[in-house]
Amino acid sequence: MQSIKNDRHMFFLFTLLSLMFRAQSVAASSEIHATARSTYSSINIGAVLDLNSPMGTMIDLCMSMALSDFYSIHSNYKTRLFLHTESAEEELDVASAVLEMLKNQEVHGVLGPEWSKEATFVVELGARAHVPVISFTAKNRAFSHSPSPYFVRTTPDDLYQVKSLTAICQGFEWHEVVILYEDTEYGNLFFSKLSKAFQEVDIQLSYISAISTSAEDVYITKELNKLMTKQTRVFLVHMNILLGNRLFNLARKAGMMSEGYAWLITDSLSNSLSSVDTASMEGVLGLRPHVPKSKNLNNFRAKWKRNALLRKPQSEIMELNVYGLWAYDTVWALALAIEKSLSPDSDLLKSSQGDDRSDISNITISQFGSRILAELLYTKFTGLCGEFKLVDGQLQTSAFEIINLIGTGYRTVGYWSPDGGISGKLASTGESTYSTSTKELRAIMWPGDTIVTPKGWSIPTTGKIKVGVPKKSEFTEFTNIQKDPVTNQFNFSGLSIDVFLASLKLLPFKLDYEFIPYLNTSTGLNGSYDHMLHKILDKVCLVSKTYDFVVGDVTILANRSTFIDFTLPYTESGVVMVVKNKKNIDMWIFLKPLRWDLWLTIVLACIFIGFVVRMLEHQRNNTNTGSLTPNEQPFGLFFWFPIAALAFPERNMVANKWSMFVLVVWLFVTYILMQSYTAKLSAIFTVDQLNFAFSKDYYVGYQHASFVHEFLINELHLDASKLRSYSTIEEYHDAMCRGGKKGGIDAIYGEIPYMKLLINRYGSEYRIVGPTHKTDGFGFAFPMGSPLVSYFSRAILNVTQGATMNVIEQKNFGPC
């Protein structure tokens, strides 16, 4: 009973205060109107709000307080701004209310509407009447294709918020983000700016979800469950407070507010956090416009709370937020602009001329509206939100606060400004360098009550990672798939598999995987490698996946990189030509260094030298018994004497000085011939074996189902009829032994790893000739933008540069 009496007393007291406030307001209003009629020039300004919504009621109170505060301070001003407020909920109601005010109440400016979806037609009406339309809630120019000079936004453009979100994602090194936004015109406009900004800094949008404001919880839960199957763990939410609050409540129930997740919210949510319970949003990181602290702001907040209590019995009112502060400053700016303009006379309004009898044609054209607009664009003052200054018809952006939601409250962990980027505190003076580093931010409490920054991705918890492996009948040294007849399970081996397993050991996390063979019903290769790569999950188009990534001898090519990402290569790169070594050595090989005419010349020279020496030694009798004079063997001298002079240089062959001169010349010529002969014979055994003159008439072999076929035709411009495909090393060898004229081939074009296997098996029978055509080697294939690529690339680099790679190569290729 006592509590009931207390409640009645409180009710009577509350009702009494309300009646007193109403009476005071009516009296004050009557007094102001009466004074204005006799002393001041009154300017009519229209305002369109949804007074049945908490947001509209809050803004209406802020504007009323702005008028009261402004003219209580500037009581000496010769003009007075009078607000004509109309309540409108639907878009047609808004247009009708504005049209009525322009026709009948002769307003010289329009405040509102609340949201950009209602602004297009209103701005057109304002342009016809030459009155400014001022919005303190619209942050996107929805009609940018036909901008109106009469539209003014006293809010910062969302482009700056997009830049701040981009900087945060860069600072935390999040390369993939999921976007969830409300499916409205405002949400779509914001998303278009955001996607463009992310694209410029190479941040991938792994999934996009547009949620209707009327969506049921079942639909939202279904979307959240779909997101849990993705690798991305960074979610950016842009929606109104009611829809956003429902989303986070459902996300908490789905287990998505736990460790490893990162949530970002825009100011569409963070500006209204005081109106809802934020317990389900703990750990969320948000942005909101920075409002500097001031004594005037604190006094206004206290006064606003008192006035809001008096209004609550009549209507539901939202807690004060930045939209109310912007509305307050807008009214002040408009009142200042009106005072600076010339005081209007009754003849400043003219009716539009024309024979059309429609309502729009009867709108009066305000000559004073253009003056107000001109002064408003150059109005500067310090308001509740800081410095009020319009740039290109919109409020100049100062900075954004980065807030962290903890429990049922939040705290500021840093700031973002257009000039300085991310910082721990705002710099008051001096030039600053733009930064995306998050090191200066205060400690952030992330979802799951952890201070460890989420890496932005995670392995889905829906099962093992599916790793595709190509089934090969040739070059099984790279990937070899054998089916166990007992267990009916596949066994996987080969160099590619060993490199993958070695890389797994170097990853900073555990990867639960299973190999899935790429084969057909006959256990053979199921199509080309490109067809296999297309079976990797397309995260953007949401194509049903077969593999999460592919491990095998997959060549890194430019055309493949348009739909998948590759790791660093783990093999040598390039396409080379292999030919068979020549085997044309026979017993007459010693005659081939010199041509037949040169051999004939040497024989004739020997005979000629012998004849000359015979003539010079004819009449000389050599008494030296140790010498072989021509007199002793007159006829044999013609043939063997020049050779004997080479074989027995220490013996006294001649006695005549002229004969000695002839022999010296002969020995010099012979020395030159011997050196040339030796060099030519060495070349026959070495260099000539390496020379290979490629002819377009040659038949060329290549690996079956390889990209080399297109490479030979498109890049080297070989005749397709001269190309023959083979699958195994044995087939290559057999075709090379037969040659092109007997149904085989004359050369092989293939990738270096395969050709090394061929040479390693058949030794010196083959050699690599010609240039190496550049390719990027073999790598592992992942979906576009997969975060696993960087981890595996670093692991592969450590494997290939260490001793592990030598062990793997010897295991699969044998000793080289």
Side-chain angles (χ1 to χ4, degrees):
M1 293 295 294
Q2 184 66 29
S3 60
I4 295 176
K5 290 182 179 180
N6 292 336
D7 291 343
R8 288 179 177 176
H9 291 163
M10 291 296 295
F11 176 75
F12 291 142
L13 179 61
F14 203 73
T15 303
L16 180 61
L17 289 174
S18 299
L19 293 174
M20 291 174 61
F21 176 77
R22 287 187 185 182
Q24 183 180 2
S25 299
V26 171
S29 178
S30 301
E31 182 180 353
I32 292 175
H33 277 270
T35 306
R37 283 193 297 267
S38 60
T39 309
Y40 306 107
S41 298
S42 62
I43 303 298
N44 296 326
I45 299 294
V48 183
L49 300 170
D50 183 5
L51 297 180
N52 294 323
S53 68
M55 179 78 162
T57 307
M58 181 268 296
I59 292 177
D60 181 52
L61 177 57
C62 290
M63 291 194 300
S64 300
M65 293 177 62
L67 278 178
S68 177
D69 293 345
F70 183 84
Y71 288 115
S72 65
I73 297 174
H74 304 93
S75 58
N76 60 328
Y77 276 18
K78 301 301 182 181
T79 58
R80 286 294 184 271
L81 186 159
F82 289 101
L83 280 177
H84 296 272
T85 305
E86 295 288 341
S87 179
E89 299 180 11
E90 302 295 332
E91 188 172 354
L92 293 177
D93 297 335
V94 171
S96 178
V98 173
L99 186 60
E100 180 69 19
M101 287 188 292
L102 291 174
K103 285 177 53 183
N104 300 327
Q105 298 178 4
E106 297 179 349
V107 297
H108 299 281
V110 176
L111 291 172
E114 292 182 33
W115 306 114
S116 59
K117 69 176 183 178
E118 304 157 343
T120 305
F121 186 64
V122 173
V123 171
E124 291 180 1
L125 292 177
R128 280 180 175 268
H130 293 186
V131 300
V133 176
I134 308 164
S135 175
F136 37 77
T137 54
K139 294 185 289 181
N140 271 312
R141 196 177 290 270
F143 32 83
S144 57
H145 59 279
S146 57
S148 172
Y150 288 93
F151 182 60
V152 178
R153 291 179 293 165
T154 56
T155 58
D157 195 286
D158 269 336
L159 180 62
Y160 294 98
Q161 183 174 200
V162 165
K163 290 181 179 180
S164 62
L165 291 169
T166 303
I168 290 174
C169 292
Q170 286 181 291
F172 288 116
E173 298 182 355
W174 294 331
H175 304 294
E176 287 190 3
V177 179
V178 173
I179 307 296
L180 300 100
Y181 67 97
E182 64 177 61
D183 191 11
T184 60
E185 183 181 10
Y186 172 57
N188 292 326
L189 288 170
F190 183 85
F191 169 72
S192 63
K193 290 184 177 182
L194 186 66
S195 60
K196 182 179 180 181
F198 278 1
Q199 186 178 6
E200 291 175 353
V201 296
D202 199 25
I203 296 178
Q204 303 291 329
L205 299 182
S206 60
Y207 188 77
I208 303 162
S209 179
I211 302 176
S212 172
T213 53
S214 59
E216 298 181 354
D217 290 353
V218 176
Y219 174 80
I220 299 176
T221 302
K222 183 179 179 181
E223 284 292 295
L224 293 175
N225 291 334
K226 187 184 297 183
L227 296 178
M228 293 181 67
T229 65
K230 312 296 179 185
Q231 290 185 354
T232 308
R233 288 295 180 264
V234 180
F235 305 101
L236 195 155
V237 181
H238 176 73
M239 52 187 61
N240 64 62
I241 188 63
L242 298 178
L243 180 60
N245 193 40
R246 289 171 55 205
L247 174 73
F248 280 101
N249 283 326
L250 295 173
R252 183 179 61 175
K253 293 178 182 178
M256 299 179 67
M257 300 302 296
S258 57
E259 185 175 356
Y261 287 87
W263 291 85
L264 292 174
I265 59 173
T266 63
D267 65 352
S268 60
L269 270 169
S270 58
N271 284 339
S272 306
L273 291 176
S274 57
S275 302
V276 296
D277 182 11
T278 59
S280 61
M281 304 170 66
E282 187 168 8
V284 171
L285 208 62
L287 284 173
R288 69 176 186 180
H290 172 60
V291 178
K293 296 180 179 180
S294 65
K295 183 179 180 181
N296 290 336
L297 178 60
N298 293 334
N299 293 336
F300 174 77
R301 289 184 183 276
K303 185 177 179 181
W304 185 90
K305 287 182 179 180
R306 292 194 299 268
N307 292 339
L309 286 174
L310 297 176
R311 281 203 177 192
K312 276 191 175 180
Q314 302 174 4
S315 59
E316 184 181 357
I317 188 168
M318 179 181 286
E319 289 293 327
L320 178 65
N321 58 33
V322 71
Y323 292 109
L325 301 181
W326 283 332
Y328 184 95
D329 287 349
T330 300
V331 172
W332 270 60
L334 191 56
L336 286 172
I338 290 173
E339 178 66 22
K340 293 178 183 179
S341 303
L342 295 175
S343 298
D345 298 325
S346 59
D347 60 346
L348 284 177
L349 299 177
K350 294 183 180 180
S351 299
S352 59
Q353 303 298 321
D355 298 331
D356 191 349
R357 296 183 179 181
S358 65
D359 289 340
I360 296 179
S361 64
N362 293 328
I363 296 178
T364 56
I365 297 177
S366 170
Q367 294 181 353
F368 193 57
S370 300
R371 301 183 187 183
I372 296 176
L373 176 63
E375 290 294 339
L376 180 63
L377 294 177
Y378 292 98
T379 298
K380 298 179 183 179
F381 68 97
T382 301
L384 297 182
C385 291
E387 182 182 5
F388 183 95
K389 179 182 179 182
L390 298 178
V391 179
D392 296 330
Q394 67 186 34
L395 185 66
Q396 176 177 267
T397 302
S398 58
F400 281 92
E401 293 181 16
I402 304 174
I403 61 174
N404 182 208
L405 276 68
I406 302 175
T408 57
Y410 56 85
R411 67 187 182 110
T412 301
V413 296
Y415 300 89
W416 178 91
S417 62
D419 297 327
I422 299 175
S423 59
K425 58 181 181 179
L426 290 176
S428 56
T429 57
E431 296 183 358
S432 57
T433 303
Y434 190 85
S435 172
T436 60
S437 174
T438 58
K439 295 181 179 179
E440 294 186 9
L441 297 181
R442 297 175 62 186
I444 299 173
M445 183 65 69
W446 298 98
D449 295 330
T450 178
I451 60 172
V452 178
T453 303
K455 59 178 179 290
W457 65 275
S458 178
I459 303 300
T461 58
T462 56
K464 295 182 178 180
I465 293 293
K466 297 180 180 179
V467 181
V469 180
K471 175 69 170 65
K472 298 171 64 68
S473 58
E474 72 283 353
F475 297 105
T476 55
E477 291 83 355
F478 290 95
T479 57
N480 187 17
I481 303 177
Q482 298 292 334
K483 192 171 185 179
D484 192 328
V486 178
T487 62
N488 205 30
Q489 298 294 321
F490 289 101
N491 297 319
F492 300 84
S493 61
L495 181 135
S496 301
I497 302 299
D498 290 341
V499 171
F500 170 73
L501 296 177
S503 301
L504 282 181
K505 299 177 181 178
L506 301 178
L507 297 180
F509 50 85
K510 183 180 179 181
L511 195 67
D512 193 10
Y513 69 93
E514 62 175 335
F515 288 127
I516 306 295
Y518 179 64
L519 43 78
N520 53 30
T521 54
S522 60
T523 66
L525 183 64
N526 188 19
S528 66
Y529 273 38
D530 286 343
H531 186 265
M532 174 183 63
L533 295 178
H534 275 99
K535 289 185 174 292
I536 297 177
L537 171 63
D538 188 340
K539 296 184 296 182
V540 177
C541 299
L542 298 178
V543 176
S544 178
K545 68 177 180 178
T546 303
Y547 312 114
D548 291 295
F549 60 91
V550 169
V551 168
D553 50 344
V554 181
T555 306
I556 303 173
L557 299 175
N559 62 326
R560 290 174 177 173
S561 65
T562 58
F563 58 92
I564 57 172
D565 278 348
F566 285 100
T567 62
L568 290 176
Y570 59 88
T571 62
E572 291 185 68
S573 60
V575 174
V576 295
M577 182 172 62
V578 173
V579 298
K580 204 168 180 61
N581 283 324
K582 298 178 181 179
K583 291 188 177 180
N584 54 353
I585 300 176
D586 53 32
M587 62 178 297
W588 299 104
I589 189 66
F590 69 93
L591 294 177
K592 292 185 177 181
L594 303 179
R595 295 171 51 184
W596 66 270
D597 51 351
L598 185 57
W599 281 115
L600 180 61
T601 302
I602 293 174
V603 173
L604 293 177
C606 286
I607 296 174
F608 177 74
I609 293 297
F611 176 78
V612 171
V613 174
R614 175 71 180 83
M615 294 298 296
L616 292 175
E617 295 291 324
H618 177 64
Q619 297 180 349
R620 188 175 181 86
N621 185 16
N622 192 350
T623 59
N624 187 0
T625 59
S627 65
L628 296 175
T629 62
N631 291 326
E632 297 176 3
Q633 297 180 357
F635 298 102
L637 184 65
F638 290 102
F639 302 99
W640 66 269
F641 179 76
I643 300 175
L646 295 174
F648 309 105
E650 74 283 357
R651 301 191 61 177
N652 188 8
M653 303 290 295
V654 293
N656 191 296
K657 294 182 179 179
W658 290 106
S659 300
M660 183 69 68
F661 174 76
V662 171
L663 286 179
V664 169
V665 174
W666 168 245
L667 290 175
F668 179 75
V669 173
T670 305
Y671 178 77
I672 295 177
L673 289 174
M674 290 175 61
Q675 296 299 319
S676 299
Y677 178 86
T678 302
K680 186 64 177 179
L681 187 62
S682 299
I684 291 176
F685 285 102
T686 57
V687 178
D688 284 356
Q689 293 293 318
L690 300 178
N691 289 335
F692 180 81
F694 185 81
S695 172
K696 290 188 176 181
D697 295 329
Y698 285 169
Y699 286 89
V700 175
Y702 67 92
Q703 186 180 351
H704 178 69
S706 170
F707 77 96
V708 176
H709 178 264
E710 286 73 22
F711 172 80
L712 296 175
I713 296 176
N714 298 330
E715 301 296 331
L716 300 186
H717 306 292
L718 298 184
D719 188 357
S721 62
K722 298 291 184 180
L723 304 180
R724 294 170 178 173
S725 64
Y726 300 94
S727 298
T728 64
I729 294 179
E730 291 75 14
E731 291 179 1
Y732 274 138
H733 179 65
D734 178 68
M736 289 290 285
C737 291
R738 286 185 283 118
K741 296 180 180 180
K742 297 181 180 180
I745 54 177
D746 303 295
I748 305 171
Y749 267 100
E751 295 174 84
I752 291 178
Y754 299 136
M755 296 301 98
K756 280 191 171 183
L757 284 175
L758 175 68
I759 295 175
N760 188 43
R761 179 173 298 185
Y762 293 102
S764 60
E765 292 188 45
Y766 296 95
R767 69 181 187 274
I768 296 175
V769 297
T772 299
H773 303 279
K774 183 66 177 176
T775 62
D776 287 330
F778 297 159
F780 301 154
F782 289 82
M784 288 287 289
S786 173
L788 291 175
V789 173
S790 59
Y791 288 96
F792 268 100
S793 293
R794 285 190 287 267
I796 288 173
L797 197 61
N798 290 326
V799 171
T800 54
Q801 291 184 353
T804 306
M805 194 63 186
N806 294 330
V807 176
I808 293 175
E809 288 181 346
Q810 290 183 9
K811 171 187 174 183
N812 294 281
F813 298 163
C816 298

